[in-house]
């Protein structure tokens, strides 16, 4: 017990010891949030709470692993590890046991965002894939099924999107696939339709903790309510001042209104900051005070005053990049650890000039959130092979690799096979496994037939091997399909080979660490990876502010502090969320912070004259009058509700005197309504 409370301050200890009833831990940046959450979990286990009665949900695998390790290190022993995972991992585990209640097999495979877009594109190459993919996610997270979407669609574009949604969902059902949204949507549907199972699940998890609660969306909130249907022992941890994901559905009201959702909530504020110097926190506090939608707290520095924040002024983006690179070079020459240096930007387009500047200065860097490891072509090929071995219904993955490495199966040949398989109402791989060599030869020719049959035999062999021995699986996969040999002939073959070897090494390590797990388990674990799970190595990091959330750096540069770039301005922009982004950016810095602005940038084909960001004034870092303006949290694409006109989607936002006016599509009828007369759905 002493180990648990040894390094906790008074507020942290109060949060740890509060175990009954709803608890909101309002945790400021750098205030020891993770320590508090892990200590509270350790405390629950140390007083005899069954680990199986606890459930702790996070947003990244990295956070889940860190919290689990830290909690278990504080106690002498646990019967078994408590369930501490991401929302989506919880959904995956729940569906593995319960998806059959929806009439579906539990041998489903998760597809990632890239797969989702490819499937949508296969219906019609000319449709706006990203837009439709995003809209399908909106439908799912609003619990709108394809039939309802079709019935409610009034405008031609929405009708088309709803039709694609129906096709897409039918495809997933036919191939027994689920996407990320399904992991939560299907879990919620099962709990909603089966009251007994809902009560049983709620009774199983008597002590629930949710990390980063300000990032939860409406569906996650509804799921949490189901999990708390038989009790109110819920502890949420978060910071309303760090709610920066409104654009992807996060609802700041979840944390602001938590005391209303769960009566008799106890609120504990963690305000002592152990990360940043007093100078940095003073600016961050002054900036965020300009927001109105917040619960209110002030970060108090435990560290000393530190260096003043540096404001860097440049004529354009090239000079900015040159100066940032020079400062980083000086830090490295004086022995600074590259991993402690980062450059942040509000929009990704700003990375181009920055990368050029770093390259010219020969400074190694990694662009976090660019082409991720698992999205590289050679890795996608490997994963596709694993998917068709694990799931014979996955026609999409089969199409990707049936001719990679090349085996003479071009588009015309593949189309013939696909057509015949669909005529016989079979998955393509099943058709190829069952068709006779003579019949296949008549369809696509003798040479192609032999090539296909050899391909299918290898898949069948590896399928059996994966069920018997995963240890020799990788070697046999390479021996039979030779992906390394194929890729080493390409111009950038060496880099691709290194990536393939990295993947094989990771696969072997996974099997070593999880000898009882199957190929399905490995594939599902891969699908739950995130950007921040990949951050390591001896380079400086450059990334968007969104990607920096949860990280910290000794030396931090934030570029692009100009009106229009940071904050983003214009239709649908939310100045309070922009300000929260500024607060997040500043509080990533531990000791030294440089904020940079330029007088002009070349952007979208033309050079634009700019003025420095209002945030510099609001943070008290330069002279100028501080102006508070009326803001709206609504933006284009939001679903809103009006007491008379019902539910509609915002299509535009504009100023109307001191108010904001929303253009809203109510099921085909367009109206202009003042923002104060609607609420977000």
């Amino acid at each position: 017990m002493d180990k648990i409370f040894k390094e906790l301050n008074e507020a942290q200890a109060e949060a740890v010891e509060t175990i009954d009833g709803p608890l909101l831990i309002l945790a400021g940046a750098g205030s020891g949030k993770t320590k508090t959450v892990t200590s509270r979990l350790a405390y629950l286990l140390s007083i005899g709470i069954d680990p199986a009665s606890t459930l702790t949900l996070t947003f990244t695998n990295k956070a889940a692993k860190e919290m689990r390790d830290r909690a278990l290190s504080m106690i002498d022993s646990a019967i078994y590890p408590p369930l501490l995972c991401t929302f989506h991992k919880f959904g995956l585990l729940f569906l593995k046991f319960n998806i059959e209640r929806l009439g579906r097999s539990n041998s489903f495979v998760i597809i990632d965002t890239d797969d989702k877009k490819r499937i949508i594109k296969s219906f019609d190459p000319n449709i706006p894939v990203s837009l439709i993919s995003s809209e399908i996610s909106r439908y799912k997270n609003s619990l709108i099924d394809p039939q309802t979407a079709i019935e409610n669609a009034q405008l031609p574009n929405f009708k088309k999107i709803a039709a694609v949604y129906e096709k897409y969902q039918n495809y997933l059902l036919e191939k027994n696939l689920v996407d990320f949204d399904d992991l939560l949507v299907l879990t919620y549907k099962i709990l909603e339709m089966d009251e007994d199972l809902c009560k049983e699940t709620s009774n199983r998890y008597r002590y629930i903790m949710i990390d980063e609660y300000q990032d939860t969306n409406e569906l996650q909130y509804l799921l949490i309510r189901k999990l708390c249907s038989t009790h109110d022992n819920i502890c949420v941890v978060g910071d309303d001042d760090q709610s920066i994901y409104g654009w992807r559905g996060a609802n700041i009201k979840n944390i602001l209104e938590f005391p209303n959702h769960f009566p008799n909530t106890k609120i504990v504020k963690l305000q002592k900051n152990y990360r940043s110097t007093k100078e940095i926190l003073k600016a961050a506090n002054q900036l965020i005070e300009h927001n109105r939608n917040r619960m209110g707290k002030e970060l108090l520095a435990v560290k000393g005053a530190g260096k003043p924040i540096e404001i860097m002024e440049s004529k354009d983006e090239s000079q900015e990049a040159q100066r940032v690179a020079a400062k980083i070079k000086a830090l490295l020459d004086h022995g600074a650890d590259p991993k402690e240096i980062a450059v942040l930007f509000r929009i990704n387009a700003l990375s181009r000039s920055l990368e050029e500047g770093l390259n010219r200065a020969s400074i190694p860097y990694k662009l976090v959130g660019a082409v991720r490891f698992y999205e590289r072509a050679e890795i996608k090929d490997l994963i596709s092979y694993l998917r068709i071995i694990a799931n014979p219904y996955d026609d999409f993955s089969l199409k990707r690799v049936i001719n990679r490495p090349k085996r003479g199966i071009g588009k015309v040949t593949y189309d013939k096979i696909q057509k015949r398989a669909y005529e016989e109402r079979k998955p393509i791989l099943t058709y190829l496994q069952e068709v006779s060599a003579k019949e296949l030869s008549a369809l696509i020719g003798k040479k192609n037939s032999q090539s296909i049959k050899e391909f299918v035999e290898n898949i069948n062999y590896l399928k059996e091997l994966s069920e018997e021995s995963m240890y020799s699986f990788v070697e046999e996969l390479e021996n039979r399909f030779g992906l390394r040999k194929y890729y080493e002939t390409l111009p950038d073959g060496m880099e691709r080979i290194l990536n393939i070897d990295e993947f094989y090494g990771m696969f072997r390590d996974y099997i070593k660490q999880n000898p009882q797990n199957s190929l399905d388990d490995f594939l599902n674990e891969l699908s739950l990876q995130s950007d921040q799970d990949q951050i390591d190595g001896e380079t400086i990091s450059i990334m968007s502010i969104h990607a920096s959330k949860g990280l910290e750096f000794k030396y931090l540069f934030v570029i692009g502090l100009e009106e229009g770039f940071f904050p983003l301005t214009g239709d649908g922009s939310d100045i309070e969320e922009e300000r929260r982004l500024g607060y997040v950016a500043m509080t990533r810095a531990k000791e030294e912070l440089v904020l940079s602005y330029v007088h002009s940038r070349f952007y979208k084909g033309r050079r634009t004259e700019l003025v420095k960001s209002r945030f510099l004034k609001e943070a008290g870092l330069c002279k100028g009058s501080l102006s508070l303006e009326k803001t709206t949290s609504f933006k284009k694409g939001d679903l809103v509700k009006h007491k008379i006109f019902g539910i509609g989607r915002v299509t535009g936002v504009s100023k109307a005197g001191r108010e904001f006016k929303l253009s809203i599509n109510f099921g085909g009828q367009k109206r202009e309504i003042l923002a104060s007369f609607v609420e977000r759905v």
Side-chain angles (χ1 to χ4, degrees), residues 182-321:
D182 288 332
L183 293 175
L184 300 188
V185 171
L186 299 181
T187 296
Y188 176 78
K189 283 184 177 177
I190 292 170
L191 292 173
E192 173 74 1
M193 65 183 256
D194 192 329
E195 192 176 338
D196 290 339
L197 178 64
C198 183
K199 286 180 179 177
E200 179 189 322
T201 307
S202 180
N203 281 324
R204 180 182 306 146
Y205 302 115
R206 302 290 300 181
Y207 298 90
I208 296 175
M209 282 197 285
I210 316 289
D211 189 25
E212 303 286 9
Y213 192 67
Q214 78 281 345
D215 295 337
T216 54
N217 62 22
E218 188 64 21
L219 177 57
Q220 286 161 338
Y221 164 70
L222 292 173
L223 187 56
I224 291 163
R225 293 307 299 248
K226 289 293 180 190
L227 295 175
C228 294
S229 60
T230 63
H231 62 82
D232 63 358
N233 290 331
I234 176 169
C235 165
V236 301
V237 189
D239 184 359
D240 53 326
D241 292 333
Q242 295 187 72
S243 178
I244 60 173
Y245 296 113
W247 51 277
R248 72 180 187 197
N251 189 352
I252 192 173
K253 286 186 178 179
N254 287 352
I255 191 165
L256 293 177
E257 297 179 2
F258 183 82
N260 299 331
H261 296 155
F262 294 90
N264 303 315
T265 290
K266 180 174 183 176
I267 300 175
V268 177
K269 295 183 181 182
L270 306 184
Q271 299 180 105
K272 284 187 179 178
N273 177 285
Y274 297 89
R275 176 189 298 155
S276 307
T277 62
K278 189 174 182 179
E279 288 284 335
I280 292 168
L281 295 184
K282 179 184 174 185
N285 282 328
Q286 282 188 235
L287 174 65
I288 202 64
E289 277 176 9
H290 288 76
N291 272 5
R292 297 171 181 178
N293 291 316
R294 61 190 297 257
M295 300 188 84
K297 65 181 178 315
E298 182 179 1
L299 294 179
L300 306 171
V302 172
K303 282 185 174 182
K307 288 187 177 181
I309 295 172
E310 181 182 345
I311 306 298
M312 193 170 79
E313 177 185 3
S314 305
K315 66 176 183 178
D316 59 23
E317 68 274 18
S318 296
Q319 188 181 65
E320 177 184 57

Side-chain angles (χ1 to χ4, degrees), residues 38-55:
T38 52
S39 297
R40 189 174 186 274
L41 178 57
Y43 180 70
L44 286 171
L45 303 184
S46 71
I47 61 174
I49 301 296
D50 182 355
S53 297
T54 71
L55 172 63

Side-chain angles (χ1 to χ4, degrees), residues 359-410:
N359 285 329
R360 279 195 295 268
S362 300
I363 297 172
Y365 67 90
K366 61 183 167 214
L367 176 59
V368 178
V371 178
R372 290 184 290 177
F373 181 76
Y374 297 109
E375 291 175 353
R376 292 168 181 162
E378 61 275 18
I379 303 303
K380 293 291 284 186
D381 288 348
L382 278 167
I383 293 172
S384 293
Y385 269 108
L386 298 184
R387 281 180 171 166
I388 56 175
I389 291 166
N391 178 12
Y393 298 97
D394 191 349
D395 291 354
F396 179 69
S397 293
L398 179 69
K399 183 177 182 179
R400 181 181 178 95
V401 297
I402 198 166
N403 199 39
R404 195 175 296 174
K406 294 187 184 302
R407 49 179 68 90
I409 312 302

Side-chain angles (χ1 to χ4, degrees), residues 27 66 175 234 260 287 348 446 460 510 599 606 647 678:
E66 181 188 353
K175 308 299 181 190
I234 176 169
N260 299 331
L287 174 65
N348 290 321
K446 186 176 181 181
N460 291 342
Y510 177 84
H599 292 289
R606 63 189 180 92
I647 293 176
V678 298

Side-chain angles (χ1 to χ4, degrees), residues 629-645:
E629 59 184 67
K630 193 169 180 67
T631 63
T632 178
S633 60
F634 296 109
K635 55 188 178 299
K636 194 173 178 180
D638 282 350
L639 277 176
V640 295
K641 185 178 182 181
H642 187 274
K643 61 183 179 182
I644 293 175
F645 303 124

Side-chain angles (χ1 to χ4, degrees), residues 74-107:
M74 291 184 215
I75 55 176
D76 296 328
S77 64
I79 312 167
Y80 34 77
L83 184 52
L84 201 165
C85 60
T86 65
F87 273 93
H88 291 92
K89 180 68 177 284
F90 174 77
L92 168 62
L93 296 172
F94 182 86
L95 292 179
K96 279 292 180 183
F97 287 101
N98 297 292
I99 198 169
E100 289 170 350
R101 294 170 189 263
L102 296 174
R104 295 184 59 173
S105 164
N106 72 352
S107 63

